[in-house]
Each structure stands twice: as C-alpha cells, then as structure tokens.
Amino acid sequence: MKPQAQAVTPTQKERQLPFFSVIVPVYNVIPYLGECLDSVLAQTFADWECLCTDDGSKDGSDLILDAYARRDPRFRITHQPNAGVSAARNRALDCLRGQWVGFLDGDDCYAKQALGQVYEMLRQNQNVSIEFVKWGYCLMGGGYYQGSAQPLYLTQMETIRFFIDEMIVGGMILGGLIRADAVGALRFPIGISMCEDTCFFAGLAGRLHGMLMIRQCAYYYRIHAGQATKRQGIRLLHDQLRAFRLVYQRYLSCVSGWLVYVQRLREVLVHCLVTEVTMHACYRGGAGAIGHEVRMFLRDVPLPLPKWSVRAWLVRLMRIPAFDMVLCHALSAIGALKQMLTRRRL
C-alpha cells in the first residue's frame, strides 16, 4: 500500500520533533505485520515516527521490520530477547520523541485518517487542556465502538470517572493518543500477561487534566486464535487479579478524597472480580487454586460485595478455606457438563 498524499501540514515549530510517535510491539505476527505497517505509511498526516520493538520474534517478523526501516527512516526498530508486550512497549517509550504517543499492536491497523483527525481536533480545541484523545474503533470482521456522537470534552474529574466506568472493564490500549509529557515516566507493569493496558490507564488517569472523545473509527482491531486474550486457566486468573489489585491502588491514589469515586471504583472491581471468577476461571480449569487467588485479592482490596448478587455470594463462599475447594470443583464440573451439552446440540 502506497502512502497517501499529506492532507494536514504541521507548523515549522512542530516539525522540530515528530508530532506523533506510534509504538508497535511485535512478536510472531508475520501474517498481519505488513498490513499493520502499511496502515502507518498510509496516514494522511505525515509527521510521525513509528517505534517498533521486535520482542524476540521467531517467524521472520524481525526481517520485515528491518525492511520497512530501510524503506522509510521514520520507522525506528529495536530488537530484544522475548520479554513480553509490556517490556516491548516500555522499550519504545524510553526512546520516543513525539509530542503525542499512540499504541498499535502488530496485528491491528490504523485507519488512514487516524493521525490527521486527531491533529485537526487538537487544532480546533487549543483553548482547553487535553492530554488524551479517545477515538472509536472497529473489529475486523464486524463490530464497532463509535464513542460519542459529537466530539466531547471531559474535565479532569469527568475523565477519572470515565476511566473507572469504561477503561477498567474494556480499557484496551487501542483507545487513542496520549500527550507524551502526560505519560512521563509511567510504564507498563512487567510480569502481568493480561490487563497490563488497564494498569497503564489506571496510572494515567490522575495525570490528565482533560480528554477529548471523538466518534470516528480510527483503529481496526483483529481477533485471532494466537492472541494472548485467548489464553485460559489459573495463570490467566492470577494475572488478572494481580492487575486489578494494581488498578485499585493506582486509582485510589487519585480519588481517595472523593468517596463517591472510591465507591464507584469498588463497584466496578466487584463486577470484574465476580465475572472473571465465576464465568471464566471456574468454567475453564484451575479450580483448586481459585479460592486462594480470591482470598489474596480480597485481602488487598476491601470490596463491598453486593448483598443479593448470586455471583458475589459465590465469591463470599470462596473466601472460606476448605469450602472454596468444594465450590470451585462443583462449578468446574457444571461448566464441563454445560460445554458437553453445547457440543451435542451442535
């Protein structure tokens, strides 16, 4: 795919450094990587750098990255031994030069107007403080999150409330573009294989004075069998609960003075906890360790569990040593029976 003609021209002052830095962590995504990098080349706004971190790829993705760097010097490539997506993104964050930073996974794509749309929105809203622009995204093959019907500006406290309500449950890093000086020294947590982007946003929330939501679909998200989000079992639950503990600590540091926000934070985490425990882990294995994981989580995060929620009462019972084993194995057996009946109907 050839680059499109530049439609938006930054000022001479803005040309001193790239206006946008696009960070692409890459690990064994050779079937999709060319399409991903072509979508950056195709941007109608040309003042960008693309920081690609090859995280020890074994399928030839590293060679494709080097080829794009030879083709266009705006691609800056780093190679490292496999250390996970957080380490790959952090490596790029240490090297970024742009005024704004966005994240693009190596199996996803940007719409060709993505950077240009954000640049125009920033020019049109120079009279308000904006550190984050959230755009809409599309799922490849169907599905669409369109954001607000019109560009919507949120103040600092409105931004924190939005992050609690929306970004904890579905806070994928594809959310938009962030002012680089708001990121500062904030980095992704190492050692957590799931929800690391939710942890990042939790740390970002208290740094933002305002954000802008735009409707346009600017990001194309691909779902396929090799993704980390497809992993199952107790390790997944362990990482998710570790992430939720970190999320709680980070949000609490910026909302501790507002009881209504603290209460809402706990309510959202209750939803996340009972959903992951009763709908994911209990039906997919690791029953013997689930009760321990829940007790560890509730020790660090004092959640006010709803009184009349069936799922919440299951979580309450899991806090009881010995009974948690019986309950978790029962739930796993029910899940296995449900899957067997589903297969028979098919």
Side-chain angles (χ1 to χ4, degrees):
M1 183 184 296
K2 295 182 179 180
Q4 303 295 314
Q6 181 177 344
V8 181
T9 304
T11 65
Q12 185 62 38
K13 181 179 180 180
E14 292 167 338
R15 285 184 182 279
Q16 295 175 1
L17 292 172
F19 194 81
F20 293 111
S21 291
V22 178
I23 290 178
V24 183
V26 173
Y27 178 70
N28 290 351
V29 287
I30 196 167
Y32 318 109
L33 185 56
E35 185 179 2
C36 169
L37 301 181
D38 282 345
S39 77
V40 180
L41 276 174
Q43 290 302 299
T44 57
F45 183 88
D47 192 20
W48 51 262
E49 64 174 358
C50 187
L51 306 177
C52 303
T53 304
D54 165 44
D55 190 38
S57 295
K58 306 296 184 182
D59 66 345
S61 294
D62 53 335
L63 301 179
I64 291 180
L65 291 175
D66 291 339
Y68 273 81
R70 291 191 295 269
R71 175 182 176 183
D72 192 317
R74 291 176 296 178
F75 288 99
R76 299 170 58 200
I77 313 301
T78 302
H79 301 278
Q80 68 179 28
N82 181 249
V85 66
S86 290
R89 289 174 178 149
N90 290 345
R91 183 78 175 268
L93 282 170
D94 291 339
C95 303
L96 73 85
R97 300 177 300 173
Q99 300 174 48
W100 286 76
V101 58
F103 299 90
L104 175 64
D105 285 347
D107 49 2
D108 297 337
C109 296
Y110 276 165
K112 66 180 181 180
Q113 303 92 352
L115 301 182
Q117 288 173 344
V118 171
Y119 183 78
E120 284 297 337
M121 287 293 177
L122 292 173
R123 287 176 65 94
Q124 295 170 17
N125 293 273
Q126 297 182 46
N127 58 329
V128 293
S129 179
I130 299 173
E131 281 87 24
F132 178 49
V133 178
K134 180 171 179 56
W135 50 36
Y137 63 85
C138 304
L139 299 181
M140 292 187 182
Y144 177 55
Y145 171 80
Q146 65 179 19
S148 58
Q150 298 293 332
L152 177 65
Y153 176 73
L154 301 183
T155 65
Q156 184 176 35
M157 295 311 299
E158 290 171 338
T159 296
I160 292 175
R161 179 58 184 262
F162 174 82
F163 271 42
I164 292 174
D165 286 345
E166 301 292 338
M167 304 300 273
I168 293 180
V169 177
M172 292 180 286
I173 197 63
L174 54 81
L177 292 160
I178 310 162
R179 188 180 291 276
D181 55 13
V183 175
L186 180 65
R187 296 295 183 266
F188 291 85
I190 302 297
I192 295 178
S193 62
M194 291 295 296
C195 302
E196 76 287 339
D197 45 3
T198 306
C199 296
F200 180 84
F201 275 121
L204 183 67
R207 299 165 174 251
L208 305 180
H209 296 94
M211 64 174 281
L212 188 68
M213 297 177 62
I214 61 177
R215 179 181 184 183
Q216 290 86 348
C217 174
Y219 192 108
Y220 292 93
Y221 176 65
R222 189 191 309 271
I223 298 177
H224 58 88
Q227 288 175 308
T229 51
K230 297 294 183 181
R231 291 197 298 269
Q232 304 173 0
I234 192 62
R235 174 59 191 276
L236 174 61
L237 175 67
H238 177 75
D239 281 359
Q240 287 176 316
L241 294 189
R242 284 183 60 201
F244 290 151
R245 289 201 295 270
L246 180 57
V247 164
Y248 178 75
Q249 294 165 2
R250 289 185 170 182
Y251 275 116
L252 196 63
S253 67
C254 63
V255 301
S256 57
W258 291 273
L259 293 180
V260 64
Y261 287 90
V262 174
Q263 179 64 23
R264 181 57 184 161
L265 172 62
R266 290 175 174 173
E267 290 173 356
V268 171
L269 286 175
V270 165
H271 169 79
C272 293
L273 173 64
V274 298
T275 298
E276 296 304 329
V277 169
T278 62
M279 292 297 290
H280 181 89
C282 291
Y283 291 114
R284 297 183 181 177
I290 291 172
H292 172 73
E293 294 289 343
V294 173
R295 290 196 301 275
M296 292 290 292
F297 179 80
L298 295 176
R299 182 195 66 183
D300 297 335
V301 183
L303 302 182
L305 297 175
K307 294 181 179 179
W308 303 113
S309 166
V310 174
R311 291 186 186 178
W313 270 105
L314 292 176
V315 173
R316 285 179 185 270
L317 294 174
M318 287 180 195
R319 297 169 66 179
I320 304 174
F323 187 80
D324 64 318
M325 293 286 290
V326 176
L327 180 60
C328 290
H329 281 294
L331 287 171
S332 294
I334 292 172
L337 178 61
K338 181 180 178 181
Q339 291 178 358
M340 182 180 67
L341 294 175
T342 300
R343 286 195 294 268
R344 285 188 176 182
R345 284 196 296 267
L346 296 176

